Amino acid sequence: MDANITLELLLFLFAVATTAGFVDAIAGGGGLITIPALLAAGLSPVQALATNKLQATGGSLSAGYYFVSRGVVKLHEMRLMILMTFIGSALGTVLVQKITTSFLEQMIPFLLMGIVLYFLFSPKLSSQAEQPQQVSLTVFACTAGAGIGFYDGFFGPGTGSFFAAAFVALLGYSITNATAHTKVLNGTSNVASLLFFIIGGQVVWSYGLVMILGQVLGARLGSRMVLSRGQTLIRPMILSVSLAMTVKLLWGNYGHLFH
């Protein structure tokens, strides 16, 4: 692998990761950009997934730290959410190494389309206004936290969109506040999944460490945009990213029908 590393390739991966970090901080879905780039760089599918988790962890933790440091997120209120998300992601990562993901590959495009319709038509969404809370923080942690964390460890596409929708629909958060809290839980699930990929020896460190630098830069820029522009930026990007993931997954599953 080392023999194939060139300065041009590393600069390309840095640029890709910077772009993905920016997109991830606002709407999620950066894996749509980074995983194809890692595959193009010559990594196997498992290596690409594992290395993507390494660089994505850098971006999500950077974005999460930014929101915590600005006082938007209070970690002491999220302790149970973080714990349950970590456990769910760890279980998902262990399980994905034992069974097929074909069922989820068929289902996820339709779940993502549901997210698109929700963010497109929900009258509750606004940048700053909070809505009535539907469930307790404990119930949220044990259902959305553990469930979406499990999904991220098991499969992954659309995790940021699912977390954001859950915060808005179940806890009544504004879309800006939901995005900020999403980054903390997304970072948690990334860390848990990454640990098990490291144990499995699948991470390509030379690529991943270069990409972390780009992710941190992009995530910081994206996080600032979230707080400065709120709904005017987040809602269109969540819609765009979710639609792009839906089309990509549908084509991967059913594209052969059109050949």
Side-chain angles (χ1 to χ4, degrees):
M1 182 64 65
D2 291 344
N4 297 325
I5 296 178
T6 65
L7 178 60
E8 290 78 10
L9 176 59
L10 294 180
L11 289 174
F12 166 72
L13 291 176
F14 176 83
V16 165
T18 301
T19 303
F22 180 83
V23 172
D24 257 334
I26 299 170
L32 279 177
I33 304 169
T34 53
I35 290 178
L38 287 166
L39 291 171
L43 274 60
S44 71
V46 175
Q47 287 176 324
L49 288 173
T51 305
N52 181 65
K53 277 297 180 187
L54 172 61
Q55 61 93 36
T57 297
S60 56
L61 289 181
S62 175
Y65 174 78
Y66 179 83
F67 291 125
V68 171
S69 68
R70 293 300 182 277
V72 180
V73 175
K74 297 178 175 59
L75 285 180
H76 69 275
E77 297 177 353
M78 297 188 69
R79 286 178 294 188
L80 185 58
M81 293 183 203
I82 291 170
L83 174 63
M84 297 307 296
T85 299
F86 186 95
I87 292 172
S89 180
L91 291 174
T93 305
V94 171
L95 187 60
V96 75
Q97 301 175 58
K98 301 181 181 298
I99 65 175
T100 179
T101 62
S102 58
F103 174 73
L104 271 177
E105 290 172 357
Q106 302 292 325
M107 290 297 297
I108 294 308
F110 301 101
L111 294 177
L112 285 170
M113 184 55 65
I115 296 292
V116 170
L117 294 175
Y118 178 78
F119 276 96
L120 193 59
F121 295 111
S122 175
K124 297 192 302 181
L125 295 178
S126 69
S127 178
Q128 301 300 330
E130 304 285 333
Q131 300 295 326
Q133 185 173 323
Q134 302 300 317
V135 300
S136 68
L137 296 181
T138 299
V139 170
F140 183 90
C142 295
T143 54
I148 300 173
F150 177 88
Y151 166 75
D152 192 28
F154 188 83
F155 196 58
T159 297
S161 298
F162 291 137
F163 269 132
F167 274 114
V168 172
L170 299 179
L171 294 183
Y173 285 12
S174 69
I175 195 169
T176 300
N177 202 18
T179 300
H181 285 75
T182 287
K183 293 305 110 184
V184 175
L185 295 190
N186 214 164
T188 300
S189 62
N190 281 339
V191 168
S193 184
L194 175 61
L195 288 175
F196 283 88
F197 277 128
I198 291 174
I199 291 171
Q202 298 293 345
V203 176
V204 180
W205 292 95
S206 54
Y207 290 0
L209 291 176
V210 168
M211 294 180 77
I212 277 182
L213 298 177
Q215 270 277 350
V216 170
L217 174 61
R220 181 56 58 91
L221 294 173
S223 299
R224 289 177 178 174
M225 294 291 281
V226 167
L227 295 187
S228 64
R229 298 188 59 183
Q231 185 187 17
T232 60
L233 185 66
I234 301 169
R235 186 169 179 167
M237 284 200 69
I238 287 180
L239 290 170
S240 299
V241 169
S242 296
L243 278 172
M245 284 189 286
T246 299
V247 171
K248 183 179 185 296
L249 291 169
L250 282 175
W251 183 257
N253 293 336
Y254 305 107
H256 65 279
L257 299 176
F258 299 94
H259 293 311

